[in-house]
Amino acid sequence: MGYTWMALPFRAAQTGTMPTGDQAWTCFLSAANFKGPIAYYIAETWSKIAAKFNYPYDFGRGLDARRGSLGGGAMEINTVPYFEARGNDDRVYRKIPELLFPVDSQNRSVLVQDVHLYSKSAMFDAFAAWRDGGAAVPARFAAAGEFKAALQTNDIGYRQNNQALNGVNEVAKPAVFDEYMWGLQWSSSFGRFPRYFRVQDNQATAIDASEVPEETGLAEQMFPEAAAGNPYTSPMSGAWAAPGPATPNQTTQLADGSTVTYRWYRFVDQPSFQQYNMSQADKDKLQAFVEKIHATWTPDKDYMAPPTVGALVTLDPGLFVTPPQGLEVGYVPIVVGQQAP
């Protein structure tokens, strides 16, 4: 799946007590059955921090005003539980849940490919002109503003419980497969991340399951399966109710079996905007501009370059909902609930 964060000027820079730049970071996706923008960070997200904490130094130093810098990519694995037990050799052994990665015929897991960087000439400048009454912007990012970055990588540092995890890079070595493709080259485990570690001198070293003493009982230890969480329900008051939605609740079923409840809001009436003091004139201008975008940028167009290798994934059809008659442009579906089956 292709994804891009593109800074776009939905509104001009703002002055006054909360000066705000004109960059709204917008997420674009590229899948087999959907292409285009899905959401953006309201530019005031960044200047609000300075205003809230009375820290004027931050004005003009957030992502509303400064460029984004892609210094590197990362794969993050958050909290990982583990079992520990001591063997007869007086050493501590550890077991983590099984982590599996998809691999290709060359025992590689491709994580990132076709990295592009963009200047303002890719879309920002033309987008600002469109906002102010100029010609509509073609969906495709302008090739003149693209730069395809060659990749490089180093060994990854792994830690758990403030201890270094050694031996992982020997099993799953970070590698650049050509100039523009990065991932993991597996030695022989075929996408299986190490599960067992020997703890010594405040560090843990990956070992094979056969090296774990039987008396630790780690082989039989099982991690509990994930359970459905509590249903998500949005508030029914405040910004969710005023100005309020344009429709009552509607539902859709997702492939995971859950039911999603949503309402259609006029774009500038959606809850996110209600925390900011936008004038009616500003709201009217933004609403009119978004209606042009909805009418022009359809999900069947190409926005970013197609992948050089591989086929695009297909998103869950349950994620696609049809606006009621009369709300085809200028309205957005906002999730207000999700419940497991």
Side-chain angles (χ1 to χ4, degrees):
M1 182 171 70
Y3 65 95
T4 291
W5 285 97
M6 181 72 76
L8 295 178
F10 280 84
R11 298 176 65 207
Q14 307 296 307
T15 58
T17 58
M18 196 171 84
T20 303
D22 59 359
Q23 296 181 170
W25 287 86
T26 307
C27 183
F28 287 77
L29 295 183
S30 181
N33 56 344
F34 176 86
K35 298 181 177 71
I38 60 169
Y40 70 77
Y41 278 96
I42 301 171
E44 285 87 347
T45 299
W46 314 105
S47 56
K48 180 181 178 181
I49 297 171
K52 181 176 179 62
F53 295 101
N54 192 25
Y55 193 58
Y57 178 83
D58 259 5
F59 288 126
R61 290 177 169 82
L63 286 176
D64 59 311
R66 292 198 172 184
R67 66 182 185 179
S69 177
L70 180 63
M75 176 184 63
E76 296 186 4
I77 301 174
N78 194 18
T79 306
V80 178
Y82 62 88
F83 292 113
E84 273 191 352
R86 190 177 297 272
N88 291 340
D89 57 3
D90 204 34
R91 292 177 173 177
V92 173
Y93 295 83
R94 181 179 298 168
K95 178 182 183 179
I96 67 172
E98 187 172 45
L99 302 176
L100 302 176
F101 291 76
V103 295
D104 62 15
S105 60
Q106 301 177 60
N107 212 14
R108 308 180 306 180
S109 294
V110 176
L111 301 179
V112 176
Q113 69 178 60
D114 301 326
V115 177
H116 284 69
L117 307 179
Y118 301 97
S119 71
K120 286 189 172 182
S121 61
M123 183 171 280
F124 185 99
D125 295 336
F127 193 85
W130 185 17
R131 178 199 68 203
D132 294 335
V137 176
R140 178 71 170 83
F141 303 154
E146 294 181 356
F147 172 73
K148 194 171 182 180
L151 306 178
Q152 60 183 9
T153 188
N154 299 300
D155 286 350
I156 301 174
Y158 297 91
R159 299 186 68 83
Q160 187 176 40
N161 197 26
N162 292 322
Q163 295 172 331
L165 299 183
N166 300 321
V168 179
N169 287 293
E170 287 73 19
V171 176
K173 187 171 183 61
V176 175
F177 303 126
D178 61 35
E179 279 190 290
Y180 310 114
M181 184 184 296
W182 174 86
L184 299 173
Q185 180 68 62
W186 297 88
S187 58
S188 59
S189 62
F190 302 102
R192 294 181 180 273
F193 196 87
R195 294 197 70 185
Y196 294 95
F197 297 84
R198 182 187 294 117
V199 183
Q200 189 173 5
D201 299 329
N202 201 37
Q203 54 186 336
T205 302
I207 58 175
D208 189 77
S210 62
E211 299 178 68
V212 180
E214 184 177 353
E215 67 271 12
T216 63
L218 289 179
E220 293 77 30
Q221 290 277 22
M222 301 293 292
F223 292 91
E225 294 184 357
N230 294 326
Y232 162 73
T233 304
S234 71
M236 303 298 289
S237 59
W240 295 86
T247 68
N249 288 350
Q250 300 181 34
T251 60
T252 183
Q253 299 292 128
L254 301 189
D256 65 1
S258 66
T259 300
V260 170
T261 303
Y262 64 96
R263 304 173 187 149
W264 290 89
Y265 283 80
R266 196 170 73 113
F267 189 83
V268 296
D269 290 345
Q270 62 184 294
S272 296
F273 283 112
Q274 308 317 312
Q275 62 190 300
Y276 302 114
N277 296 320
M278 293 175 60
S279 69
Q280 190 60 50
D282 285 341
K283 288 182 180 180
D284 292 344
K285 183 174 181 179
L286 177 59
Q287 179 68 29
F289 184 37
V290 166
E291 291 175 7
K292 292 179 181 179
I293 295 172
H294 283 179
T296 305
W297 283 2
T298 52
D300 57 336
K301 297 179 179 179
D302 284 324
Y303 294 79
M304 63 193 79
T308 56
V309 177
L312 292 170
V313 300
T314 299
L315 299 178
D316 179 358
L319 294 170
F320 300 100
V321 293
T322 302
Q325 185 175 2
L327 308 186
E328 292 85 356
V329 297
Y331 291 79
V332 291
I334 301 295
V335 173
V336 296
Q338 183 175 18
Q339 185 167 357

